[in-house]
Amino acid sequence: MAEATSEQLPEGIFSLLDTDLYKLTMQCCVLKFFPDVAVTYSFTNRTPDKKLNRAAFRWLQAQVDKLESISLSEEEYKFLKSTCHYLNDQYLRFLSNFRLHPSKQLKLVFKPINDTGSDDDLGDFSIQTEGLWVETILYEIPLLALVSEAYFKFVDKDWSYAGQVEKAYEKGSKLLQEGCIFSEFGTRRRRDYHTQDLVLQGLRRAEADGAPKGWQGKLTGSSNVHFAMKHGLLPIGTVAHEWFMGVAAITNNYEQANRIALEYWTSTFGEGVLSIALTDTFGTPAFLRAFKEPIPEIRTAATTNPDVQTLARTEPPIQAGIDGATKQRRTYAEVFTGVRQDSGDPLDFVKMMREFYDEQGIKAKKTIVFSDSLNIDLCLKYKAAAEKEGFQPTFGVGTFLTNDYVQESTGNKSVPLNIVIKIASASGRHAVKISDNIGKNTGNKLTVEEVKQRLGYTEKTWAGVDENTRWGTAGQKPTS
């Protein structure tokens, strides 16, 4: 990577909206129902052979410190208000005054393997996040993006931006020609800010060229709110595992956690709004037991109530008056547009969901959003399988778009980091994720095993993914 070019480009995080939409929607819910809940987050590097050097860590710390000065601009406020109608006025007022406080909420530690004092010393590093859930929920995406940028800015520099727009254009063109409906999901593991910008330029160009040619696919938007605003796209997203993990830890009711989380969600945004359900936090079978339950009629308003000055005053739905006897209530499965597949075997998932909807007598065409480690070939494979079973497939394509590089010296794949930040505790209890693949179990191991027993969870493995090599291996040739 040419240093002169790097110095002329934006670096780090400079917009509060340079994050995924679902962080904002979840923060809206947290503000409403859990404004005083304390949490912690844990950082995991699933590619431990990829370490930062001292120079990279120093840059990372400096960028984290700068987060303290970021705030929502008037232009950004107007964009959210005009585009994201589900974010109510109380939340937007809160976000307008919101500030991150990394000096109080974050602790970064660098442990060199062989400490010579040099900037080139490699080492392991940790990131600890602690504070109120509503005040720390926005750290995850910027921190992950900054770690990736630090690594490829100071450690692995054997790459260049050359051809990134063209590469994204080719990928977008192929997906659009094949009739794929997809969005860009690549913020958390992007190579850097400039890469994501180049990728979206390529994707937008492909869409513009494809429209007069009658290509049936569609670029629906970006999960990144800042880039959606910059490129005239819709911000895309609903909810993350964090929401279900947090609710479960707070209530310590894993048997009913999915149902409770769905009730909170629906009472915040309304029936049929932001209604793509993430199924695998505690295993899809456990989720489906809640998904087929009727939505209670809740006293809490789902739309903005001008008489409510703060969302914290709104009564939680699990304590509100529920009138289920007056009329037949539709189930979550009926109301929700569809589901998102994010772990395990996607083909098995398609079959499971077909059986589920058939058992429930649901005839409406539902959507499956695929979002787990996608590339073009996998999108086409899952598209065919989903359409065969009567679903509308859509795709959230991430790292394959925003961190697809080759080494300049060898032409081999420049392998991205596989890094995650997950909520680790809430209200003093461990927060865990089970998923549909043992490789994605997250959190305290004893709690993970306890939750599996409580839910009657059947262990699953999927040979399709090794977390240590999810995005490739050293010496691997580029693939599509």
Side-chain angles (χ1 to χ4, degrees):
M1 179 179 63
E3 291 298 328
T5 302
S6 176
E7 291 173 0
Q8 298 165 10
L9 297 173
E11 65 174 12
I13 304 292
F14 46 86
S15 168
L16 194 63
L17 297 188
D18 189 2
T19 191
D20 285 338
L21 175 65
Y22 63 33
K23 300 301 289 190
L24 303 185
T25 56
M26 289 190 296
Q27 188 183 40
C28 182
C29 284
V30 172
L31 179 65
K32 183 170 185 174
F33 296 118
F34 305 111
D36 301 319
V37 169
V39 300
T40 62
Y41 292 83
S42 62
F43 168 85
T44 302
N45 181 1
R46 292 172 174 167
T47 42
D49 58 310
K50 297 183 180 299
K51 304 180 187 300
L52 295 186
N53 59 27
R54 194 186 306 276
F57 181 80
R58 186 181 299 118
W59 179 89
L60 175 63
Q61 182 67 69
Q63 296 302 317
V64 166
D65 293 342
K66 291 179 182 179
L67 295 177
E68 198 134 2
S69 63
I70 296 175
S71 62
L72 192 73
S73 70
E74 182 64 25
E75 182 183 10
E76 290 172 331
Y77 173 86
K78 291 179 179 178
F79 174 77
L80 292 177
K81 190 169 181 62
S82 63
T83 306
C84 305
H85 303 291
Y86 38 82
L87 298 177
N88 54 46
D89 288 342
Q90 294 100 325
Y91 172 69
L92 291 180
R93 286 198 299 271
F94 167 84
L95 195 63
S96 295
N97 297 311
F98 180 79
R99 298 293 187 277
L100 295 166
H101 299 286
S103 60
K104 299 177 181 178
Q105 298 160 335
L106 298 179
K107 182 179 180 181
L108 282 66
V109 177
F110 178 70
K111 297 180 179 180
I113 298 171
N114 182 23
D115 193 353
T116 70
S118 168
D119 279 353
D120 294 328
D121 287 347
L122 293 172
D124 296 313
F125 63 99
S126 62
I127 303 174
Q128 298 176 359
T129 307
E130 185 173 353
L132 294 180
W133 195 6
V134 73
E135 295 177 352
T136 56
I137 192 170
L138 297 189
Y139 277 119
E140 176 192 356
I141 308 301
L143 285 176
L144 291 173
L146 287 172
V147 169
S148 181
E149 184 171 354
Y151 179 80
F152 289 106
K153 189 180 183 71
F154 292 94
V155 183
D156 181 354
K157 299 182 284 186
D158 186 14
W159 57 277
S160 81
Y161 295 111
Q164 280 293 303
V165 174
E166 292 75 18
K167 185 179 289 188
Y169 175 86
E170 292 174 2
K171 293 174 180 177
S173 295
K174 180 65 174 177
L175 290 170
L176 293 167
Q177 289 178 53
E178 295 292 340
C180 292
I181 300 172
F182 71 99
S183 55
E184 180 274 310
F185 266 31
T187 301
R188 65 181 58 230
R189 297 187 188 98
R190 70 190 184 195
R191 186 137 303 200
D192 58 12
Y193 177 94
H194 186 55
T195 297
Q196 193 167 10
D197 198 25
L198 294 176
V199 164
L200 283 164
Q201 291 176 36
L203 295 178
R204 289 178 62 222
R205 186 185 301 174
E207 184 179 42
D209 288 353
K213 298 176 182 178
W215 293 350
Q216 295 302 302
K218 183 179 181 181
L219 172 64
T220 56
S222 171
S223 63
N224 185 294
V225 185
H226 165 78
F227 277 113
M229 177 178 168
K230 181 176 181 179
H231 288 276
L233 299 168
L234 282 176
I236 301 295
T238 51
V239 68
H241 300 104
E242 176 181 354
W243 175 244
F244 296 91
M245 294 167 70
V247 170
I250 292 165
T251 62
N252 195 28
N253 185 354
Y254 282 88
E255 292 79 3
Q256 298 297 324
N258 286 307
R259 177 187 60 79
I260 296 170
L262 286 169
E263 286 188 19
Y264 277 120
W265 191 261
T266 305
S267 72
T268 301
F269 299 112
E271 293 185 15
V273 181
L274 297 173
S275 58
I276 293 293
L278 182 59
T279 67
D280 67 330
T281 308
F282 307 115
T284 294
F287 180 86
L288 295 181
R289 291 196 289 270
F291 205 40
K292 65 184 179 182
E293 293 189 19
I295 303 174
E297 192 163 4
I298 300 169
R299 211 167 48 228
T300 306
T303 56
T304 302
N305 182 350
D307 296 327
V308 179
Q309 295 181 358
T310 66
L311 290 172
R313 295 184 181 181
T314 307
E315 189 176 4
I318 55 173
Q319 298 175 3
I322 297 176
D323 182 8
T326 58
K327 61 180 179 180
Q328 184 69 34
R329 301 293 296 168
R330 293 191 297 169
T331 66
Y332 293 104
E334 290 176 296
V335 169
F336 272 59
T337 303
V339 294
R340 177 156 74 95
Q341 191 276 334
D342 196 56
S343 67
D345 188 333
L347 301 182
D348 287 348
F349 182 85
V350 170
K351 295 176 182 178
M352 184 189 307
M353 292 311 305
R354 181 70 279 153
E355 292 174 0
F356 171 79
Y357 283 120
D358 288 347
E359 289 172 356
Q360 298 304 307
I362 297 174
K363 304 299 183 183
K365 189 171 188 176
K366 296 294 184 177
T367 295
I368 296 181
V369 180
F370 297 92
S371 60
D372 188 21
S373 306
L374 299 177
N375 57 31
I376 291 175
D377 291 340
L378 291 177
C379 286
L380 300 184
K381 179 180 180 180
Y382 303 155
K383 178 177 183 292
E387 289 177 343
K388 181 180 179 181
E389 296 293 347
F391 292 107
Q392 173 61 66
T394 69
F395 306 91
V397 187
T399 308
F400 174 66
L401 292 173
T402 60
N403 207 333
D404 186 12
Y405 282 85
V406 297
Q407 296 174 337
E408 287 191 294
S409 62
T410 66
N412 293 333
K413 184 175 181 61
S414 176
V415 182
L417 283 74
N418 186 2
I419 49 179
V420 295
I421 292 177
K422 295 293 184 183
I423 187 170
S425 69
S427 289
R429 298 189 188 90
H430 294 297
V432 300
K433 177 167 77 79
I434 308 301
S435 85
D436 288 331
N437 177 17
I438 191 172
K440 280 194 166 186
N441 287 181
T442 301
N444 178 268
K445 292 183 179 180
L446 291 178
T447 306
V448 167
E449 293 307 314
E450 177 193 341
V451 172
K452 287 179 179 179
Q453 291 181 13
R454 288 170 63 174
L455 296 180
Y457 177 86
T458 301
E459 200 67 75
K460 292 184 177 182
T461 58
W462 180 42
V465 171
D466 179 343
E467 292 302 325
N468 292 323
T469 59
R470 175 177 286 265
W471 298 112
T473 57
Q476 178 182 332
K477 297 298 181 182
T479 61
S480 61

